[in-house]
Amino acid sequence: MATSPMKDVFDPAKVVTALLALVLVFGWVLFPGQEIFPFASWTMFSRLQNEARLVDVRVTECMGLTVDAPTLARDLPELAPKFRSVVFRTVLLKFAREVRENSSPTGRYRKMAEEILFDGRHCTYELVDIRFEPVEMLRDGVYTATELGRFETTGR
Amino acid sequence: MLSWLSVALRRGLDFFWERADRALVFDDRSIARAETTTRFFYASCCFLAYTSAPRLLELAQRSHLDPLWPVAWVARVSLPVSALAIALLFLVSSLLAVFTPGSRVARATCAFFMLESVALQNSFGKINHSSHTFVLAAIVLVFLPKNDSVTYRVQTLRSWFGVTVVALATYTVAGTAKIRGAAIDLFRGDMSVLHPDALAVIIARQAVVRGQALDELSPLAGALIEYPVLGWPFMLGAIALEVGAVLAPFVPAVYRPWLLSLLAMHFGILFIMGISFGNAVLLLLILFVGPVGVGLPTTTTAENSG
């Protein structure tokens, strides 16, 4: 069957092979949490571990909110819905990494997290690392928290 | 060494496409199905463009961006203007592809602006991968042959087979990542995704990180936390489904049941954990009505069916 060179250039089989190779190679080589858009992002629920961790914000003071004692943002009705967003939770994780590694002088993820969570309010808060056993924390609210840093927003 | 690798790769690819050709049926019914599915795919792209526009415009109000590589340029331009342009151009180009699916320019433009749109939506700190398979499918379909090409029939069906394999390969990667993660967890003496309680722990962890109380969970999730062992077969079944997904298109008899099982897995994840993979589900539905696995292979082969 004769084919012109132009047809060979646009052979879909080659494109499929290339994309398949990218998906498989990137997918298998990368570790959980690493992503290469749009080829690799497939490590959801791949690790379990005995002790789970999350990053939260413990609010000490916040304009427009009643905060009697330092309270986790997830326990404040006005802020809790933000945690339903996986985007916000990931930004918080990246903010915590930024703080631990002192890797971003501009505080890119801090700004993103504050923008989403506090929406321009002036607040003071602690970034905390929380360790928990999932079923126990869900049933009894048991967890241990470690402070990663104290911050103040530049809001109103 | 290099020549040996090259020969092995060539033989591997020949074997891949030979098996693909055996699983496809190169008849008029299949090609008609492929053409209809292509139109349906671009109609779905148009729907995605329409439904993603409000989110793009909402995100455009943010002041901090973490751009993915396809939209790195946005940081140098105004975000609201870029978001509006991408939303509009994705909508227009996908509409063009609906009406002229035979035009490679229309398909390429649609694929490009879909890539831009999905990238921009995921440039605010987290990549949601629900739309990735759609983007990969759109890239493959750019290379559909011209309908006056002598290889039109073969290349059209092979393209759809390729879309199917690439989309399902992402499930295989996800499944093997779970096996690898389990091996690491077991090596470290931790609980792994293979543990009988794994699904209950995943549901509880997901609820905690989302700030949900036990009584806010669905009755299904509550039951699986109360009786963890009930979730074990579902967890192991889901991993097996994911791992084997890429092979399913090569076996017409199991292909559609496999797609249905993947759909059921997505529905389960939605009703138990409230996590939606809407666009991934839409692509699975498109594959379900597509030309792959339409029937048992006949003696018609790629060579004698131009």
Side-chain angles (χ1 to χ4, degrees):
Chain A
M1 189 182 299
T3 52
S4 70
M6 185 59 93
K7 276 170 192 150
D8 197 40
V9 169
F10 290 130
D11 183 0
K14 288 180 179 167
V15 179
V16 168
T17 306
L19 285 182
L20 190 59
L22 288 169
V23 167
L24 294 178
V25 171
F26 283 141
W28 282 331
V29 168
L30 291 183
F31 288 95
Q34 291 182 303
E35 298 172 309
I36 294 185
F37 177 80
F39 305 110
S41 183
W42 322 108
T43 55
M44 198 176 182
F45 302 136
S46 59
R47 299 290 307 278
L48 211 54
Q49 300 169 295
N50 294 340
E51 189 181 59
R53 290 171 72 171
L54 62 85
V55 176
D56 204 333
V57 165
R58 195 155 49 195
V59 182
T60 46
E61 208 177 337
C62 199
M63 283 296 285
L65 300 184
T66 312
V67 186
D68 299 328
T71 311
L72 289 182
R74 67 181 58 243
D75 294 330
L76 291 169
E78 295 87 348
L79 305 182
K82 310 281 184 183
F83 286 85
R84 302 283 160 99
S85 155
V86 67
V87 175
F88 173 63
R89 297 195 308 263
T90 309
V91 168
L92 264 189
L93 282 174
K94 290 180 177 176
F95 175 18
R97 195 187 307 154
E98 211 171 61
V99 171
R100 281 194 197 101
E101 297 171 0
N102 199 17
S103 57
S104 168
T106 57
R108 171 198 261 188
Y109 292 109
R110 175 186 168 186
K111 286 176 188 164
M112 292 175 85
E114 288 178 353
E115 182 177 30
I116 299 172
L117 185 63
F118 297 120
D119 201 17
R121 291 188 182 100
H122 178 261
C123 303
T124 54
Y125 65 94
E126 300 158 0
L127 190 67
V128 287
D129 180 32
I130 290 183
R131 290 163 187 263
F132 62 101
E133 193 285 303
V135 176
E136 199 179 63
M137 181 162 173
L138 186 65
R139 282 189 174 138
D140 311 317
V142 180
Y143 65 89
T144 54
T146 312
E147 185 188 309
L148 299 174
R150 289 174 188 229
F151 303 91
E152 185 174 354
T153 66
T154 52
R156 297 178 298 273
Chain B
M1 177 69 179
L2 267 178
S3 65
W4 180 86
L5 249 175
S6 160
V7 170
L9 196 64
R10 169 64 57 195
R11 283 191 183 160
L13 287 176
D14 288 347
F15 180 73
F16 176 94
W17 287 109
E18 182 203 323
R19 303 299 295 191
D21 288 345
R22 276 200 219 172
L24 288 165
V25 182
F26 294 91
D27 60 5
D28 291 344
R29 192 174 66 127
S30 292
I31 203 73
R33 205 164 176 146
E35 287 166 349
T36 306
T37 312
T38 303
R39 280 186 185 274
F40 186 46
F41 175 82
Y42 286 107
S44 303
C45 290
C46 192
F47 177 75
L48 294 188
Y50 180 77
T51 52
S52 63
R55 173 158 171 76
L56 271 178
L57 299 180
E58 179 205 322
L59 289 170
Q61 304 308 314
R62 299 259 180 94
S63 40
H64 304 292
L65 185 72
D66 184 19
L68 294 177
W69 64 267
V71 288
W73 56 271
V74 170
R76 296 165 187 268
V77 189
S78 149
L79 176 58
V81 173
S82 309
L84 179 64
I86 289 172
L88 271 174
L89 290 168
F90 180 26
L91 194 59
V92 171
S93 60
S94 58
L95 204 58
L96 262 177
V98 173
F99 292 112
T100 58
S103 158
R104 180 166 289 146
V105 173
R107 298 194 306 268
T109 316
C110 175
F112 176 75
F113 285 111
M114 180 192 283
L115 180 77
E116 291 292 295
S117 169
V118 175
L120 188 58
Q121 289 172 61
N122 288 295
S123 288
F124 295 86
K126 167 75 180 110
I127 305 178
N128 286 326
H129 56 266
S130 179
S131 303
H132 286 27
T133 47
F134 244 98
V135 173
L136 295 171
I139 293 171
V140 173
L141 293 177
V142 169
F143 299 93
L144 280 172
K146 290 180 181 168
N147 60 8
D148 57 354
S149 155
V150 285
T151 54
Y152 174 71
R153 185 179 295 239
V154 172
Q155 292 202 337
T156 300
L157 292 175
R158 279 184 170 188
S159 296
W160 270 106
F161 190 87
V163 167
T164 308
V165 169
V166 169
L168 295 185
T170 63
Y171 288 91
T172 296
V173 171
T176 49
K178 288 182 182 68
I179 300 284
R180 187 173 66 169
I184 296 169
D185 286 340
L186 288 171
F187 181 74
R188 292 180 177 173
D190 275 335
M191 179 187 267
S192 80
V193 290
L194 303 177
H195 190 279
D197 293 356
L199 187 57
V201 172
I202 288 173
I203 294 167
R205 186 177 67 183
Q206 190 66 13
V208 168
V209 297
R210 296 178 81 185
Q212 286 178 297
L214 191 55
D215 57 8
E216 285 178 80
L217 300 183
S218 75
L220 264 176
L224 288 168
I225 288 176
E226 192 64 30
Y227 307 102
V229 79
L230 288 180
W232 199 21
F234 294 110
M235 190 71 205
L236 296 182
I239 294 173
L241 260 183
E242 287 188 331
V243 170
V246 76
L247 299 176
F250 293 94
V251 188
V254 304
Y255 171 66
R256 277 160 206 282
W258 211 286
L259 283 185
L260 278 178
S261 306
L262 286 173
L263 283 167
M265 181 185 80
H266 280 303
F267 295 163
I269 293 170
L270 175 67
F271 286 109
I272 293 169
M273 290 193 272
I275 301 172
S276 163
F277 288 92
N279 298 346
V281 165
L282 180 57
L283 188 68
L284 286 180
L285 289 169
I286 292 172
L287 295 181
F288 196 82
V289 298
V292 177
V294 285
L296 293 174
T298 62
T299 50
T300 315
T301 63
E303 284 74 28
N304 61 21
S305 62

